[in-house]
């Protein structure tokens, strides 16, 4: 009897050991399968990364071909522009003047080629020129919300009298709503009387015909089309303002109608520009946010505007500002890393930022924005 019990125990142990061995073999097999799958995923990821790298290099080469073509077109347009301006000057009255740069618009927009003199309507202004800085502010109707008065108070009050004398602030009303234009003029003539009398503060209005047929984005859905048209118009608003300001000052500072400026911002800008050791800068950023606080040499504005107008339907203007480096800075076939290093040397960033975005209600109807410059 005892022998049978021992045999039964041995049999049970043997069955248990066999079951355990089968389980271990199953787990090991399962683990090996997972390792194989993991290895396959790694190899697939590596292959995708190599494919992406090759695709990026190919796109970069194609981009450089396009940019070289753009350089050629810019040179070609400059030559044509000189001929057109000369013809235009012959038919103007002796007392009439025209900004040569505005004639460039006719090359980009066929619908205005039959127009005579292309120029914004000067609502308030005394023709002040020969100053060091022109500050441009484009404004549109935001319905029940407006930040323009706050912006102008901040910008103007934080200048000294001598700084105000050596500068001009230009408010461009880029809105077809005449009631909004009248409200802006009324506010400025009441609140900023001294600046208006001295000619240090101007108000211009952009004629509606300049925008005709430019804002189409018919290939998009209705909601996307409205947003695209708003962005397109914003690029055009900035371009026209830049062209108007160009002959008035040595430098042009781009602002927006919903910002505030730091105390002594103008003094800091003047000192910084005067003390830059190298003159080989492209533009200076006094704010890291969007297109706010960007300082340009006025003599360079025409080149910037021509580039913006080539691609005004493709991207927002602050994105185009990044793209223009590819044309002006990077050489064909150059290593991208070297190009980026050189960009940092000529795209100067001043910190801390001198301007802060305060507008919550966007100029695009129904949109709210809470972007802030973290370096302010």
């Amino acid at each position: 009897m005892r022998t049978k019990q021992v045999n039964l125990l041995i049999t049970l142990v043997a069955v248990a050991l066999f079951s355990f061995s089968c389980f271990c073999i199953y787990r090991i097999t399962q683990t090996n399968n997972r390792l194989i799958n993991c290895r396959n995923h790694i190899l697939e990821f590596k292959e995708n990364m190599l494919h992406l790298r090759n695709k990026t290099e190919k796109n970069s080469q194609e981009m450089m071909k396009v940019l070289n073509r753009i350089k050629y077109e810019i040179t070609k347009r400059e030559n044509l522009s000189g001929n057109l301006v000369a013809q235009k000057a012959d038919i103007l009255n002796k007392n009439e003047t025209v900004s040569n740069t505005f004639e460039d618009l006719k090359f980009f927009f066929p619908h205005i080629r039959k127009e005579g003199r292309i120029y914004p309507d000067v609502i308030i202004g005394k023709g002040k020129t020969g100053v060091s800085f022109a500050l441009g502010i484009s404004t549109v109707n935001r319905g029940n919300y407006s930040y323009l008065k706050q912006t102008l108070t901040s910008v103007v009050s934080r200048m000294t009298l001598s700084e105000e004398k050596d500068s001009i602030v230009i408010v461009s009303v880029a809105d077809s709503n005449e009631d909004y234009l009248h409200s802006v003029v009324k506010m400025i003539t009441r609140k900023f009387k001294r600046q208006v009398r001295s000619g240090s503060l101007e108000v211009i209005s952009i004629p509606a015909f300049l925008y005709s047929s430019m804002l189409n984005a018919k290939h998009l859905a209705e909601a996307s089309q409205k947003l695209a048209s708003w962005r397109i118009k914003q690029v055009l608003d900035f371009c026209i303002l830049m062209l108007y300001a160009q002959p008035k000052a040595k430098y042009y500072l781009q602002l927006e109608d919903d910002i505030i400026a730091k105390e002594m911002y103008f003094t800091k800008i003047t000192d910084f520009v005067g003390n830059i050791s190298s003159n080989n800068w492209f533009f200076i950023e006094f704010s890291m946010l969007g297109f706010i606080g960007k300082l340009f040499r006025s003599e360079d504005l025409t080149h910037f505007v021509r580039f913006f107008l080539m691609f005004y339907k493709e991207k927002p203007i602050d994105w185009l500002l990044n793209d223009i480096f590819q044309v002006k800075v990077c050489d064909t076939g150059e290593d991208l890393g070297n190009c980026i290093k050189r960009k940092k040397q000529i795209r100067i960033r001043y910190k801390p930022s001198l301007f802060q975005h305060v507008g919550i209600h966007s100029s695009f109807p129904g949109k709210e924005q809470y972007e802030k410059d973290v370096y302010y």
Side-chain angles (χ1 to χ4, degrees):
M1 181 69 178
R2 185 176 182 83
T3 304
K4 289 182 178 181
Q5 290 178 344
V6 171
N7 290 337
L8 179 61
L9 180 62
I10 293 172
T11 301
L12 291 174
V13 171
V15 170
L17 288 173
F18 177 76
S19 299
F20 180 74
S21 300
C22 291
F23 174 77
C24 290
I25 293 172
Y26 168 77
R27 296 295 294 176
I28 292 172
T29 303
Q30 192 176 43
T31 302
N32 286 337
N33 290 337
R34 289 179 179 176
L35 290 173
I36 292 171
N37 289 336
C38 182
R39 186 187 65 178
N40 291 339
H41 284 306
I42 292 173
L43 292 174
E44 182 180 358
F45 176 76
K46 183 177 179 181
E47 183 179 349
N48 289 337
M49 290 299 295
L50 290 173
H51 176 72
L52 181 61
R53 178 182 175 184
N54 294 334
K55 185 176 180 180
T56 301
E57 291 177 352
K58 182 179 179 181
N59 289 342
S60 177
Q61 293 174 358
E62 292 178 353
M63 181 65 178
M64 292 308 301
K65 291 180 181 178
V66 173
L67 295 177
N68 287 331
R69 179 65 183 176
I70 291 172
K71 289 181 180 180
Y72 169 78
E73 290 295 332
I74 289 175
T75 303
K76 183 178 178 181
R77 290 179 187 277
E78 285 176 347
N79 295 334
L80 290 173
S81 177
N83 295 333
L84 180 60
V85 170
Q87 295 172 7
K88 178 68 177 177
D90 291 338
I91 63 175
L92 290 173
N93 294 329
K94 291 183 178 180
N95 295 328
E96 185 182 12
T97 60
V98 64
S99 173
N100 295 348
T101 52
F102 275 97
E103 293 298 299
D104 286 351
L105 295 175
K106 294 182 178 181
F107 291 111
F108 296 96
F109 308 119
H111 74 277
I112 63 174
R113 290 175 183 171
K114 294 182 180 180
E115 298 290 339
R117 186 170 182 261
I118 307 297
Y119 204 70
D121 298 324
V122 181
I123 311 301
I124 298 175
K126 297 194 173 182
K128 186 175 182 179
T129 59
V131 295
S132 294
F133 293 89
L135 289 69
I137 301 173
S138 180
T139 185
V140 295
N141 185 14
R142 298 174 189 245
N144 296 327
Y145 307 95
S146 178
Y147 307 95
L148 181 60
K149 183 177 178 180
Q150 179 186 9
T151 295
L152 283 175
T153 300
S154 174
V155 168
V156 171
S157 67
R158 290 171 180 173
M159 291 182 183
T160 65
L161 289 176
S162 61
E163 289 170 346
E164 183 181 305
K165 185 177 180 180
D166 194 29
S167 65
I168 182 169
V169 178
I170 305 165
V171 177
S172 175
V173 181
D175 200 300
S176 59
N177 186 328
E178 291 191 5
D179 290 338
Y180 181 66
L181 172 61
H182 294 157
S183 68
V184 170
V185 171
K186 183 178 180 180
M187 180 271 291
I188 287 177
T189 52
R190 288 184 176 182
K191 177 69 176 177
F192 305 98
K193 294 180 180 178
R194 188 186 74 248
Q195 290 82 6
V196 170
R197 285 196 301 266
S198 68
S200 296
L201 179 55
E202 292 189 353
V203 178
I204 65 173
S205 175
I206 301 177
F209 75 83
L210 286 176
Y211 295 115
S212 177
S213 78
M214 296 183 189
L215 307 181
N216 294 331
K218 295 181 179 179
H219 61 289
L220 302 174
E222 183 177 356
S224 299
Q225 180 179 338
K226 290 181 179 179
L227 181 59
S229 296
W230 172 73
R231 286 175 174 166
I232 289 170
K233 182 179 177 298
Q234 197 173 54
V235 176
L236 298 175
D237 292 343
F238 285 128
C239 287
I240 293 171
L241 177 54
M242 294 167 87
L243 292 178
Y244 175 80
Q246 182 183 31
K248 292 181 172 292
K250 184 177 181 181
Y251 301 103
Y252 174 76
L253 179 66
Q254 182 65 63
L255 301 176
E256 294 188 11
D257 65 344
D258 57 351
I259 60 98
I260 56 172
K262 274 189 174 180
E263 294 285 350
M264 297 183 65
Y265 79 94
F266 199 93
T267 303
K268 293 176 181 178
I269 290 176
T270 304
D271 292 344
F272 186 77
V273 173
N275 292 325
I276 293 179
S277 57
S278 172
N279 199 39
N280 189 32
W281 54 270
F282 204 44
F283 67 90
I284 305 174
E285 296 182 270
F286 291 99
S287 171
M288 302 299 111
L289 200 60
F291 205 48
I292 299 169
K294 304 302 185 279
L295 183 77
F296 306 88
R297 294 186 184 88
S298 292
E299 63 186 21
D300 295 334
L301 287 178
T302 302
H303 301 295
F304 280 100
V305 168
R306 287 171 179 166
F307 185 85
F308 296 153
L309 292 179
M310 286 181 183
F311 304 102
Y312 74 98
K313 289 188 176 182
E314 308 303 326
K315 296 181 180 180
I317 196 165
D318 51 321
W319 292 18
L320 292 176
L321 193 60
N322 289 324
D323 290 345
I324 197 173
F325 278 107
Q326 292 294 120
V327 178
K328 291 291 186 180
V329 180
C330 299
D331 296 327
T332 305
E334 181 182 10
D335 179 71
L336 186 60
N338 293 335
C339 180
I340 292 175
K341 289 180 182 178
R342 197 157 67 255
K343 284 182 185 179
K344 293 180 179 179
Q345 296 173 353
I346 64 173
R347 179 177 182 170
I348 301 175
R349 290 179 169 174
Y350 179 94
K351 294 181 182 179
S353 296
L354 299 180
F355 305 98
Q356 181 61 285
H357 180 259
V358 296
I360 295 176
H361 299 276
S362 170
S363 56
F364 182 71
K367 180 183 178 183
E368 293 186 359
Q369 52 192 12
Y370 297 89
E371 294 178 306
K372 296 293 181 182
D373 190 333
V374 297
Y375 296 101
Y376 178 75

